[in-house]
Amino acid sequence: MPQLPIKFQELVQLTSTGVDAGSISFNSCTLESDAFVCIREKKSEDAQPEVVIVELKNGNNVTRRPIKADSAIMHWNKQVIALKAQSRTLQIFDLSEKKKLKSCTMNEDVQFWKWISPRALGLVTTSSVYHWDIYDPAQDAPVKMFERNNNLSGCQIINYRVNEDGKWMVVVGISSQQGRVVGAMQLYSKDRGISQAIEGHAAAFGSLRLEGAPQDTKLFTFAVRTATGAKLHVVEVDHPESNPVFQKKAVDIFFPPEATNDFPVALQVSQKYGVIFMVTKYGFIHLYDLETGTCIFMNRISSETIFTTCTDSDSTGLVGINRKGQVLFVTVDDTNAIPYLLQNPANTEIAIKMASRAGLPGADNLYAKQFDQLFNSGNYAEAAKIAANSPRGFLRTAETIDKFKRLPAAPGQMAYTLQYFGMLLDKGSLNEHETIELAQPVLAQNRKHLLEKWFGENKLHCSERLGDMVRPYDVNMALNIYLKANVPHKVVAGYAETGQFDKILPYSTQVGYQPDYVQLLQHIIRVNPEKGAEFATALANSEQGPLVDFERVCDIFQSQGMIQQATAFLLDALKDNKPEHARLQTRLLEMNLMHAPQVAEAILGNEMFTHFDKPRIAHLCEQAGLAQKALELYEDPEAIKRVIVNIPGTANFNPEWLTSFFGKLSVEQSLDCLDAMMKHNIRQNLQSVVTIATKYSELLGAVRLVDLFEKYKTAEGLFYYLGSIVNLSEDPDVHFKYIEAATKMGQFNEVERICRDSNSYNPEKVKNFLKEAKLPEQLPLIIVCDRFNFVHDLILFLYQNQQFQAIESYVQRVNPARTPAVIGGLLDVDCDENIIKQLLTTVNAQQISIDELVSEVESRNRLKLLLPFLEATLQAGNQQQAVFNALAKIYIDSNNNPEKFLKENDQYDTLSVGKYCEKRDPNLAYIAYSKGQNDLELVNITNENSMYRAQARYLLERSDPELWGFVLSENNVHRRSVVDQVTATAVPESTDPAKVSVAVSAFLENDLPLELIELLEKIVLEPSPFSDNQNLQNLLMFTAAKADKARVMDYIHKLDGYNADDIATSCIEVGLHEEAFEIYKKADNKSAAVNVLIENVVSIDRAQAYAEEVDLPEVWSKVAKAQLDGLRVTDSIDSYIKAEDPKNYEEVIEIATHAGKNEELVKFLRMARKTLREPAIDTALAFCFARLDQLSELEDFLRATNVANVEESGDKAYEEGFYEAAKIFYSSISNWAKLATTLVHLEDYQAAVDCARKANNIKVWKQVHEACVNKKEFRLAQICGLNLIVDAEQLQELVKGYERNGYFDELISLLEQGLGLERAHMGMFTELGIALSKYHPERLMEHIKIFWSRMNMPKMIRACEEAQLWPELVFCYYHYDEFDNAALAVIERPENSWDHTQFKEIVVKVANLEIYYRAIKFYVEQHPSLLTDLLAALTPRIDVNRVVKMFQKNDDLPLIKPFLLNVQSQNKRIVNEAVNDLLIEEEDYKTLRDSVQNYDNYDAVELAGRLEKHDLIFFRQIAANIYRKNKRWEKSIALSKQDKLYKDAIETAALSAKNEIVEDLLRYFVDIGHRECYTGMLYACNDLIRPDVVLELSWRHGLHDFTMPYMINMLATQTKEIATLKADNEARKAKEKEHEKTEDNTPILGASRLMITAGPGGAAPAAPYGQPNGFAPQPTGLGY
């Protein structure tokens, strides 16, 4: 029985990809195409909404995106998603490019939307229908198409469809009426602008090419189930006039009796098969023929409702999703559809048309038989239709065309060949043979335009042969044909012939063709030189690398004298400057240096090439007058010198280039060239040499360059060279040589400048040179001596040469600051004082250093010499300090009332003058230091001279803390003496509090407490202005507290002005706690006093006694806190109660709780509740009741008003084991979760389960479950476990718990009970399977057979492997599509897992081909009797050659003889030889004869050689036949003669068609006297035997009687042939005579048809449907 006509496949199970089952519905799951499934998912209320995209064509890849939307639909084939939010906001995003394409907000709710084309969305709102092109930039918002009809009011819109050309649309909705689902549709015509209301549940558009129709017929199909019945309607829309009318179809839809509420939910039309796929609510699939409406097939494919469908991208079937999450694909089975239809004779026509339409196998025999019947009966037109419409064109062969060509044309009709071609052109395109057969007559009759038309319509099969036929008529058309036929060499030739040279290279690259580019280039250059150059450049720059030899191209250009083009080509080809192109670079430069030197110069100037032959090119450049380029290229030093000496004299000399050129030479080479230039023509080359020397001075060396200039005695060159580098050089010799050269050149200004500005020359050397040079002006010498401190030498030189004017000029103009040194020098040479005084009068005192002048004169003990100068300077208004310093020194030395000057004058430097006085008079030094506040100097002078009183007064007056610190430092040995003077004299004399305060601070800072106490007692205790000063009293107390604690208590009673708080704090810090307590008592600060007792004295008893004495609440509070800290909890609580202070309730609660003072704590908490309403207080009180087991009071407390944290109390009671109290706490707040846990501890398990059920919390279920399991209350444990196992995260832990405790049966029972739960998940089925594999393996197979689709197969596979359950393992592998592993498992462990039928099903599905051969080997070893059956199943998949070799190797070929005979139809050599070997071995000559005749792929010579030696004559006869078949005639005949098989010999001779073989055999028969065979030869080979030979043999051997029949037949035949030739000759002559004056003008192309042979005249019949192909259209249907 044939299989079903459909293929059914599950593409993916959405739940297995992680999609929540609750999200798989019509409202949240969309399917627009077979590329994507889009699901909106929200796993819980708290979870983030997501959009899940499953890519069906990308391995079911799952993408999750956090998108919140009401609806999401994916594009048909792009990563584009459309989102809808709040029913009105629409957004379209491109996910691959991560950008928004469009967005808009509608004015009304969008109830339904979907993609209607790759560009546009269709939207159905509450009132209208819109289309929105998302790729049209001008369409910002959806465009309204039409308004909804009233018949859709109140309907849920479930679909919207648009036909292919967008002219027809239909909206589909459903509603519930009178207990059934009613469908309503609105069909709208865009062209007419009208709508039609239709009752229907599902609709679709399609198209169909009817028989004889030039255009497709557009169809609309819809299905409806009314209260009275169900119908499928197929109607035509937009009928073209040229098409036949499509008769409307309305067929009944069958619904099973039990499916009373079933109705159609989806329609999809397969354009490929012309089939309507209809899906119903109950999961039934119906297939209907689109043209006839006939029901082809019906079956149920899903137990769940398929709520959304679409067609696949190839329009072959239907894709749908059901509520279980299965994505299903249904299509027509190409292999079985036609056989299935042909079971019913009524469906024969449908089968034939479907086979023709879709090219399906199964109807070929019908077509072939029908074609033969029609052709043999003379119905050639119908036969042509059959051949043209045959499935897959299997009748469209050369044999069919030859049949039609042999037919004579019927009078008044087109030739049958042309009718046949017309039908083929109407149907589609022609194949290669058909195209050639049609093109030959069309071109012969010059009807090329018809070929152009058909070519443009893509109806011809392009081939090289067709192009060759067309080329003589139209080169361009032939080129297009070659392009389409992919004939590269002729495409390239065509491009060249038509001048499209620019297309040759891209085409060749595209198709990977490598033409002879050199020959092609030669042709192009001859035809079009410019194009040739472009083409050559393109060849050189190809992306695949150069396609031609550059040398060869260059030869071609040069042979044509195309130097410019050759240059352009080489410039482009060699632009990469590769070493291997050195020869070509040289060649390029050579040709241009010889023909166009300026071009070569430009090329060299661009420095494009570096690998050419530089000496050769340099020589050519020198010859061409390009000296500069030659110089750049030469490497020979002599050649360089030869060229370079003349360079500056050339016409276009470029000094800058020459300078830069020297940068490329070595140092020695450069110096040699410079020397040559100077030697050759110093006048011409000097400037260039100077420039070069200047630029490369640092590199060449200034010394060597100076030597070069000095060699040729050119001071000018030396001056200009050194002048250019002297400012940059630091070489002393360079500067000296420049001074020397400038002096020689008379450039005294330069000498002066260098002497003044340079820091690099040797001053001694220059000084001596300038002395010897005797310059007219001594200014350079003066500058050098001034700069380098040669003043004494200068003065001596000038004084000796009597150049007093120069000396005066020096101190006046050059450097007045050197006047002190000049005066000193003059004094040293014993110059007259008048001259010196006269010189001083000429100097501006403001410009000289008086200090230096005084020092110079003072060092020579001539200070009085300056008194007139100083007084004059002072009178002139000069207020320099140095002037006053000098006067002070003169007054001190002369004892001219110095005290007055020192006290009254403020301009002198007190430090320097004081130093000057120290040894002369300490009192004068003290005056100077005190005036200038030179503290350290003053302290030192007073210490050295025991002037302590003066120092003490200065210290108090100065009031500088740093100075006090220095004096009072312990390192100062004079400190005691100074302190005594401060205490005895300075402080009592002072009346300034600030200064006294600084002194006191200094004593403090320098840690002199005893001295400070002495000082303060003198100030505070004795009558003084500071006796009542609070700060000083405080300071006295502080100091005593630190330095002399015994005095503190006395000071407390004597003094009243101190700060009690500060002093008490200080006393506490130093441990004087009793003094601090006394101070607080004296100050009446009771709170602070009790703090001292508590914190410092640490006497709680004294504090309690003091509290009883004063009886103040704040005191009691402090005492209570102290008692609490001391853990005297009872006393503390009593004290808190006396103070009525509950503020510290948190600490009291904590400590009392830890101390177990619950009864006392209850008293405190009751007191606290009087004033405070705090949760902590009420919580602690409640918990005290729990601890004291006062449960009744606890219940009363909880019933009363309170702010206790009951849950916290319950948790604490639970933790501490007060379960009864915890029960009361949790019961009072209805906390079932914690109450359940508490009841577990109270062993009230039933109540605990009830509470857990109310709590419905995983943690609670776990705790209660664990408790029940531990107590072996398995009935209650199962109730808890059922609530745990539905949570996948808890399942694993639960299973481990049961296994750890050994409760295996209870675990299995629990999991089995859970399988029926609504929330049962994959993990439960898997874990049950694993448990069964471990503990009840005999039950595992039944379990996995029922639930394998809901199990985690990888885990189950591992479990089976660990338990060594091989049948179950094979089953799991098989259903997990792990066919390779399944097959290997069976092979490796066949004992209890092998089943022949199952193994065959598995092995044909494996992916690893090696498993096939392992399976074969397994069967050979284990089940040889079933080997043939296995091989039959594997035949299409295995390598037959390999199988045969396997069995040949082991000599097991007889085992697979049936297999070998079965596959021998493949005509493989190794199979044929194996079969032949078997047959020879079995001596089955009959089968062997059939084998060698039907299958010729074997070693014929080897086989024949074996057979000719066989003992049996039948095998030798077969050998002869083999020799005959391979045209080894002599060998075949020899074998036949050997075995006296003369008939075979005669047949062989006749087949050979060779006269010599026939004659040899004829003579053989004559020789052996076998006259019957002689006669047979004459009969069988009469056309191969010469009559003369026959006559000779007959005459010589007396065979006239046997020869006579042959002679008679020969003469009769000759007579007939002569008569026929004569008649034909006469007829031909008559015909030629009849037509010699007229020409046959019968038109080749008639009014409406193309004729290959001349047809009868007359008008052609009118074409009913036009003439699209140049032929009168012919009916193309099948005639049914």
Side-chain angles (χ1 to χ4, degrees), residues 48-65:
Q48 180 76 14
E50 291 182 316
V51 170
V52 183
I53 302 170
V54 182
E55 300 179 51
L56 300 178
K57 293 186 176 180
N58 187 20
N60 297 326
N61 179 50
V62 178
T63 304
R64 292 180 174 270
R65 296 181 180 273

Side-chain angles (χ1 to χ4, degrees), residues 84 87 109-113 124-126 148 152 155-157:
K84 179 179 69 174
S87 300
D109 291 351
V110 177
Q111 293 184 345
F112 183 84
W113 65 336
V124 182
T125 68
T126 52
R148 282 174 51 171
L152 293 174
C155 288
Q156 177 191 0
I157 305 302

Side-chain angles (χ1 to χ4, degrees), residues 1356-1409:
M1356 199 64 243
I1357 288 170
R1358 286 198 299 272
C1360 291
E1361 286 177 341
E1362 292 172 1
Q1364 298 186 356
L1365 301 175
W1366 311 125
E1368 291 80 357
L1369 176 64
V1370 172
F1371 181 89
C1372 292
Y1373 275 138
Y1374 181 79
H1375 286 81
Y1376 192 53
D1377 292 345
E1378 289 279 351
F1379 303 112
D1380 293 27
N1381 289 330
L1384 291 174
V1386 174
I1387 292 171
E1388 292 170 0
R1389 304 173 186 85
E1391 296 79 14
N1392 53 2
S1393 61
W1394 175 79
D1395 177 79
H1396 178 61
T1397 304
Q1398 181 192 45
F1399 186 75
K1400 280 202 306 179
E1401 293 178 3
I1402 293 172
V1403 77
V1404 297
K1405 297 179 181 179
V1406 299
N1408 185 352
L1409 302 183

Side-chain angles (χ1 to χ4, degrees), residues 311-354:
T311 186
D312 65 314
S313 56
D314 298 327
S315 191
T316 61
L318 171 144
V319 181
I321 305 176
N322 65 15
R323 296 193 185 278
K324 282 185 178 179
Q326 292 176 293
V327 181
L328 308 174
F329 175 54
V330 183
T331 185
V332 173
D333 189 327
D334 291 351
T335 305
N336 300 320
I338 302 305
Y340 178 85
L341 288 170
L342 292 176
Q343 290 181 90
N344 185 356
N347 291 336
T348 302
E349 181 179 355
I350 297 174
I352 291 174
K353 288 188 177 182
M354 184 182 292

Side-chain angles (χ1 to χ4, degrees), residues 461-482:
H461 183 279
C462 295
S463 62
E464 182 178 2
R465 185 178 174 190
L466 178 63
D468 294 342
M469 292 172 58
V470 173
R471 186 169 185 173
Y473 300 91
D474 189 335
V475 176
N476 288 320
M477 185 177 177
L479 176 60
N480 290 331
I481 292 172
Y482 290 140

Side-chain angles (χ1 to χ4, degrees), residues 726-764:
V726 71
N727 294 329
L728 304 174
S729 174
E730 295 182 357
D731 187 349
D733 289 338
V734 169
H735 289 257
F736 178 73
K737 288 289 184 182
Y738 181 65
I739 292 172
E740 214 173 32
T743 303
K744 293 178 181 178
M745 293 292 294
Q747 298 291 333
F748 301 119
N749 289 334
E750 277 298 293
V751 177
E752 180 184 340
R753 181 182 69 80
I754 293 299
C755 290
R756 182 177 58 252
D757 297 339
S758 173
N759 295 317
S760 301
Y761 57 81
N762 185 330
E764 184 72 29

